[in-house]
Amino acid sequence: MPQQSILVADDDALLVGLLTHRLSAKGYAVSSAGDGAAAIDAVREQRPDLIVLDAMMPVMDGFEALRRIKGDPDLSETPVVMLTALKQEADVVGALELGAEDYLIKPFMPEELLSRIGRILKKDARP
Amino acid sequence: MAALCGHGAPIALLSPAYNEAVTIVQSVRSLLSLQYPAFEVIVINDGSKDATLDTLIEAFELKPVSRAYDLAVPCNEIRGVYASPRLPRLVVIDKVNGGKADALNAGINISRAPVLCSMDADSLLEPDSLLRAVRPFVEDPERVIAVGGTVRLANGCRVRDGRVVEIGLGRHPLALFQTVEYLRAFLMARLAWSRMGALTIISGAFGLFRREAVVRAGGYTRGTVGEDMELVVKLHRQMRREKRDYRIAYVPEPVCWTEAPESWRVLGRQRSRWHRGSLETFFRHWAMFLNPRYGRVGLIGFLNIFIVDVLGPVIEVLGYILIPVLWLLGILSVEYLLAFLALSFTFGITISVCSLALEEIQLRRYPKARDLALLTLAAIFENFGYRQINNLWRIRGLWQYLRGSESWGVMTRKGFRAG
Amino acid sequence: MTGGLLGGLWTASLLMAASSVLFMTGLVIARLISEAGRARRRARREALVADMMSAMDGEADAARLKSEVREPRLVARALLELSTLIRGRELAAVTAALTQAGAEPALLRLMRSRNGEDQIAACEALGLFPSDKAAAALKTRLKRRTSMRVRIAAARALLQMGETPDLNDLLAAFDIGEVHAPLELSAILDEIARRATEAYLERLKSSRDAPALRAMMVGVLGRLGRYEALPVLLGAASDPEPSVRAAALSALGALGHPDAEPIIAAALDDPVPEVRAEACDAAGRTALAALAPRLAERLDDDEWLVRFRAASALLRLGEAGRETLDAAAGRASPRAMRTAQMVLAEAAA
């Protein structure tokens, strides 16, 4: 199986560093984007297998980026895991309704994120 | 009033839009993402001739709704109210064109929050601007009726989707001069005036007001050039008349960014208009001038407007005319002339440097040492030419005021480029 | 004599010009120096973060961490930032490695720093190292009536350790104007009210706090949702401070206890419009159908806010309220009619 790739979209350098460290240790190829608009550009160019998306980012917030990704027939198949400090019911439900595959709230448990990502990608790989 | 003006008091942001189709969606989006527990964004489409309303309807999936609203202050007919079930915080009003004051009045009528935030369509707010600016309402809930904040220039900053993402300094000399002017006006002057209780202006680019006080003062005066200054003077007048103990506060932290014109022509028109607005306000409320009934506002605030705005430009121009005449007549001592000129220039520089130092020590918003050096140079060189031209623009404003000119200076925007 | 004046003028302007230029040069130089310092700090921080990540994988470099802990200011900030992102086993691994390296005594030292920001960072970071010693130090810090922000940080750290900070210590010489993050403070009060409800209600009854704080404390009771708060809320609803009254009515509405009816009914005639508006809301949320005629009177209130809230409250009252509103839409004073009609139209849409 070829190496699976993950895009981490977050404006927090610490989080990007942390996830890059953990995800590449698990064998994923990791790239990153610092805001929603850059994330969309990166998705178009790199076609990652999964996106980890923050909500509160400069330029374009994560919900808007999610809406555009899921609204674009070309990109909508890419699974998105929201990873954000927003914990209100409306935000969670809203993101899931927009098509996010999963929603984790910061502070999160890295192990949990890894296993959820693993599950989504396994399901995805099945024909 | 106080509970609702306490921490997290609901705020209604009033954003008037006239022919803003190009930028409206990104600025609304950035307003919707402000950090504040409870606010509503009311966009007032003031009869735009372009596609402002349609762009909004499409981008935010708006539907016409029926919304109960007040008729507290006069405004032109409201043609429709639009909202989206997906975005409970957004309300868009479509109304017959009537100018900025009229549009803001419509927003006041529609709003349901005890605190209003008035702004320009091109104001770029800091994400925590509301949290910062609401604090005087919290500290002194019974008395505070309005709060102004520091407005900074966005020229040279990196702006994306309606938000300043990286602070910079414009490189155009006009932008540099205006940066020094803004620092001086906001950091030194307004802070001092508000401490004295005689602040007579809150920038139209950003201000918080208690709705109830604005409604009592009759809202914005329609058809004025300087409706922002006029409203603050009206608030003073109303509160003094009612003998209410009140306070108009000011927060020195930068809360709002605006783009300064980088063309002499546009800047000139803006300054003439500001000056005309100031004169209009002064003469409309001249009964307050030196009237002890109006306390410090009447005595000091109005005296300041009188000296600086009413007399200032005239005296300065008289000086320019008289000096050569007197010199030709041989009455004038050149030595004294030069000495006084030098004193007035260096005094101006010292004041500017003090505001630069204040910004550097307290706020430190400009990231590079080089920016600081550039601003120092601008503070020196503005005295040679820029100051004099500014004065001519003010004279033109005076002339327009005297003629009762109706021609409004149209502010052409440079438009924020993405990236 | 005139020569003296001329010289004086020149001297004054030259002095002003020279001192301005000198002063700005000084500031620019100071800025250059601080920029260099910042770059060095950034590099050290990056090294620290890398070591923290190794610690997460159970590969902590004890010697390096030990030397990094000597700069507790950096450790406190990086750790706090990390704790806003992750929790669970990985975070525990980092704090364990840092404890090994002697972070706790270093943070206790930092807490005694003269710099307020350092004190705050130290307090908050200590919350991640639960121990009797740290808890005791935080409690002592709370007792000192110094900066509000430091005390709030100490309270938050104690809560994080599972300890309940003493409310009276937290609120002694309290200055609401110093509260930079009101939501954070009210979250702390939420937690204290939940854990020590009796002491919390006691403090509110004593009514010695500033109005803005009391209003906030009353608001906390609305979210707490415990009926034992009812007597205190009923008392607060007739507080001399309008802000407290309004907060109390809002909390009563959230509580929704029918015993509040007489107080809510009385507040419908409060002289302050915002209190009347909250009273309308409370009547609606508590479903006090008997108050429908009183709410109908409020449809003709002088303040739009009250008229609107009265109409909205009537809508919440079900059958009786709806009938009252329909009646008002047909026959009442012009402004009451307009309010009723508009709110009905809005509800229908």
Side-chain angles (χ1 to χ4, degrees):
Chain A
M1 192 169 89
Q3 195 185 25
Q4 287 176 308
S5 61
I6 294 178
L7 173 72
V8 178
D10 201 307
D11 57 333
D12 183 343
L14 183 62
L15 182 103
V16 171
L18 184 83
L19 282 188
T20 309
H21 179 79
R22 306 294 288 172
L23 290 168
S24 32
K26 282 268 173 185
Y28 298 109
V30 187
S31 57
S32 67
D35 63 65
I40 291 181
D41 293 343
V43 176
R44 289 224 167 89
E45 264 168 47
Q46 304 163 1
R47 300 296 167 137
D49 295 302
L50 183 140
I51 309 163
V52 177
L53 189 59
D54 181 25
M56 290 186 292
M57 288 187 284
V59 185
M60 183 196 292
D61 71 39
F63 295 124
E64 180 60 24
L66 175 67
R67 203 173 68 86
R68 294 199 189 179
I69 290 168
K70 292 298 177 185
D72 184 335
D74 233 23
L75 310 176
S76 62
E77 292 296 305
T78 320
V80 176
V81 176
M82 296 297 292
L83 180 61
T84 151
L86 298 180
K87 52 187 168 195
Q88 300 226 338
E89 193 182 335
D91 292 320
V92 182
V93 175
L96 294 176
E97 274 176 5
L98 279 173
E101 267 65 19
D102 215 332
Y103 194 109
L104 264 82
I105 292 162
K106 289 177 193 165
F108 65 102
M109 292 186 281
E111 291 289 312
E112 185 189 0
L113 177 71
L114 289 178
S115 85
R116 283 176 190 254
I117 287 177
R119 241 193 16 200
I120 293 170
L121 286 176
K122 211 184 292 163
K123 211 186 298 168
D124 222 40
R126 233 175 274 151
Chain B
M1 66 202 80
L4 297 169
C5 291
H7 290 297
I11 296 181
L13 284 143
L14 310 182
S15 173
Y18 179 67
N19 293 348
E20 304 279 348
V22 185
T23 54
I24 191 78
V25 171
Q26 67 173 26
S27 58
V28 169
R29 204 163 265 145
S30 99
L31 290 181
L32 288 171
S33 64
L34 290 176
Q35 297 165 6
Y36 195 75
F39 67 95
E40 56 178 354
V41 175
I42 301 178
V43 181
I44 307 117
N45 175 41
D46 190 27
S48 296
K49 293 198 184 76
D50 68 356
T52 302
L53 183 65
D54 294 333
T55 316
L56 282 168
I57 289 176
E58 199 196 340
F60 298 105
E61 296 164 35
L62 300 175
K63 303 264 177 317
V65 293
S66 140
R67 176 169 162 124
Y69 62 87
D70 196 6
L71 293 175
V73 289
C75 71
N76 283 351
E77 187 202 337
I78 292 175
R79 286 190 292 227
V81 182
Y82 298 82
S84 154
R86 208 164 56 75
L87 298 164
R89 281 181 166 169
L90 177 65
V91 180
V92 174
I93 313 174
D94 180 37
K95 65 177 276 293
V96 175
N97 179 272
K100 190 184 172 196
D102 189 69
L104 287 168
N105 279 355
I108 294 171
N109 283 335
I110 284 273
S111 67
R112 284 173 184 172
V115 178
L116 305 169
C117 174
S118 73
M119 51 186 290
D120 285 335
D122 65 340
S123 297
L124 306 168
L125 301 195
E126 286 278 292
D128 60 354
S129 51
L130 296 178
L131 276 174
R132 285 173 186 282
V134 85
R135 276 176 53 199
F137 283 110
V138 177
E139 288 162 27
D140 196 354
E142 309 289 330
R143 288 169 53 207
V144 172
I145 55 164
V147 179
T150 295
V151 178
R152 285 292 180 86
L153 294 186
N155 304 53
C157 298
R158 209 158 68 86
V159 176
R160 280 192 75 176
D161 278 5
R163 178 152 296 170
V164 170
V165 288
E166 200 182 301
I167 299 171
L169 187 62
R171 286 291 177 263
H172 194 286
L174 273 184
L176 286 173
F177 291 147
Q178 290 180 78
T179 304
V180 176
E181 276 184 311
Y182 271 65
L183 284 178
R184 213 168 38 215
F186 283 98
L187 282 182
M188 302 276 288
R190 296 211 182 157
L191 196 57
W193 287 117
S194 81
R195 287 273 157 82
M196 252 187 277
L199 188 69
T200 52
I201 183 160
I202 287 177
S203 165
F206 182 90
L208 291 192
F209 299 90
R210 182 170 295 165
R211 185 181 186 275
E212 162 260 353
V214 174
V215 167
R216 288 170 100 88
Y220 285 92
T221 306
R222 302 189 292 167
T224 43
V225 193
E227 75 289 327
D228 46 1
M229 179 179 188
E230 225 264 342
L231 176 67
V232 178
V233 170
K234 259 162 89 170
L235 283 173
H236 277 296
R237 198 170 185 175
Q238 183 70 21
M239 295 296 125
R240 293 273 177 185
R241 237 187 240 148
E242 293 178 7
K243 300 205 163 38
R244 251 168 74 171
D245 190 13
Y246 71 102
R247 199 156 77 81
I248 292 183
Y250 173 77
V251 286
E253 293 110 321
V255 286
C256 168
W257 301 81
T258 187
E259 188 209 13
E262 288 187 359
S263 118
W264 291 93
R265 211 163 45 88
V266 178
L267 179 63
R269 276 204 302 247
Q270 182 198 52
R271 291 306 156 93
S272 300
R273 200 183 52 211
W274 283 2
H275 192 67
R276 188 146 59 90
S278 176
L279 292 176
E280 250 181 42
T281 304
F282 180 82
F283 287 109
R284 194 190 291 265
H285 299 280
W286 70 274
M288 290 169 77
F289 181 42
L290 298 182
N291 185 339
R293 249 186 82 191
Y294 295 103
R296 287 177 179 173
V297 188
L299 296 177
I300 315 174
F302 264 67
L303 188 63
N304 173 61
I305 305 178
F306 182 70
I307 293 173
V308 175
D309 288 343
V310 181
L311 291 184
V314 181
I315 288 177
E316 211 165 322
V317 162
L318 270 181
Y320 293 139
I321 298 169
L322 280 181
I323 285 166
V325 173
L326 293 178
W327 182 72
L328 281 176
L329 292 176
I331 304 172
L332 187 81
S333 146
V334 180
E335 281 147 9
Y336 272 99
L337 173 66
L338 288 177
F340 272 110
L341 265 182
L343 190 69
S344 85
F345 282 11
T346 49
F347 182 69
I349 293 171
T350 309
I351 296 285
S352 307
V353 160
C354 287
S355 45
L356 279 182
L358 207 63
E359 130 74 34
E360 171 66 9
I361 291 161
Q362 287 201 330
L363 302 167
R364 263 201 180 205
R365 290 300 175 110
Y366 288 105
K368 296 193 196 84
R370 201 168 66 131
D371 295 342
L372 206 56
L374 268 175
L375 285 175
T376 313
L377 288 180
I380 295 170
F381 285 104
E382 68 163 349
N383 286 292
F384 306 99
Y386 180 71
R387 212 173 109 171
Q388 289 74 19
I389 291 171
N390 225 318
N391 197 55
L392 287 180
W393 290 330
R394 287 152 64 94
I395 290 286
R396 189 172 64 184
L398 170 68
W399 175 244
Q400 286 168 353
Y401 171 73
L402 291 176
R403 276 200 359 222
S405 155
E406 291 300 314
S407 68
W408 285 42
V410 178
M411 167 101 177
T412 48
R413 301 193 201 294
K414 215 174 61 174
F416 290 109
R417 289 176 302 263
Chain C
M1 179 68 209
T2 49
L5 178 58
L6 201 58
L9 285 175
W10 276 108
T11 318
S13 34
L14 285 179
L15 267 180
M16 277 199 285
S19 52
S20 303
V21 169
L22 270 179
F23 190 57
M24 283 317 289
T25 317
L27 282 180
V28 170
I29 292 172
R31 180 57 94 83
L32 283 172
I33 294 171
S34 78
E35 268 172 27
R38 209 165 24 208
R40 277 198 304 275
R41 266 198 305 281
R42 202 176 302 133
R44 283 207 298 276
R45 191 194 122 104
E46 254 151 47
L48 171 65
V49 166
D51 289 332
M52 283 161 104
M53 282 185 197
S54 315
M56 271 178 227
D57 302 332
E59 296 158 7
D61 184 332
R64 287 182 56 127
L65 281 177
K66 199 164 255 169
S67 83
E68 276 156 353
V69 159
R70 270 183 233 133
E71 207 176 357
R73 172 182 294 159
L74 216 56
V75 172
R77 299 218 157 93
L79 186 61
L80 283 174
E81 233 182 279
L82 194 66
S83 72
T84 62
L85 298 178
I86 63 166
R87 62 196 168 97
R89 195 184 60 73
E90 276 89 344
L91 187 63
V94 174
T95 50
L98 284 171
T99 310
Q100 283 277 311
E104 199 195 282
L107 289 172
L108 286 172
R109 268 201 311 282
L110 184 65
M111 204 165 73
R112 289 191 295 270
S113 144
R114 230 177 288 164
N115 178 319
E117 297 300 320
D118 283 349
Q119 291 175 23
I120 290 168
C123 286
E124 292 193 340
L126 268 179
L128 296 166
F129 298 89
S131 75
D132 291 343
K133 207 174 155 196
L138 285 168
K139 281 181 183 161
T140 318
R141 199 73 200 71
L142 200 60
K143 276 207 199 314
R144 283 222 222 130
R145 299 185 178 188
T146 49
S147 154
M148 259 343 294
R149 291 182 56 213
V150 177
R151 272 189 283 161
I152 289 176
R156 207 157 73 133
L158 281 167
L159 284 171
Q160 194 168 8
M161 283 184 188
E163 302 265 343
T164 308
D166 188 276
L167 186 67
N168 292 321
D169 284 345
L170 176 65
L171 299 185
F174 194 90
D175 180 1
I176 194 99
E178 262 193 72
V179 176
H180 286 240
L183 294 180
E184 185 196 71
L185 175 62
S186 72
I188 289 174
L189 291 178
D190 277 347
E191 207 41 52
I192 297 180
R194 189 163 297 125
R195 292 189 197 179
T197 312
E198 213 164 301
Y200 189 88
L201 294 175
E202 216 37 62
R203 174 85 191 188
L204 252 179
K205 259 189 272 178
S206 73
S207 84
R208 56 187 140 146
D209 295 307
L213 176 59
R214 259 187 299 147
M216 184 190 265
M217 290 180 71
V218 166
V220 165
L221 290 182
R223 287 191 295 275
L224 184 65
R226 295 253 283 265
Y227 286 139
E228 67 229 66
L230 192 65
V232 175
L233 285 178
L234 293 178
S238 39
D239 194 279
E241 285 294 334
S243 55
V244 179
R245 293 203 296 277
L249 284 155
S250 162
L252 283 172
L255 210 57
H257 197 290
D259 281 1
E261 180 170 333
I263 292 281
I264 294 174
L268 287 171
D269 290 325
D270 196 281
V272 177
E274 278 76 6
V275 180
R276 296 199 295 276
E278 291 298 342
C280 290
D281 264 6
R285 293 173 76 180
T286 315
L288 300 173
L291 291 184
R294 299 286 316 280
L295 286 169
E297 286 168 30
R298 287 295 117 228
L299 288 176
D300 196 27
D301 198 281
D302 284 337
E303 283 291 327
W304 155 250
L305 189 66
V306 182
R307 299 202 290 276
F308 172 69
R309 301 274 203 103
S312 307
L314 280 169
L315 267 184
R316 294 182 80 138
L317 288 186
E319 202 72 26
R322 184 69 191 229
E323 272 167 26
T324 312
L325 203 54
D326 281 333
R331 205 186 56 215
S333 73
R335 63 185 178 190
M337 256 168 76
R338 183 172 175 280
T339 311
Q341 284 163 1
M342 291 193 91
V343 167
L344 279 169
E346 188 175 323

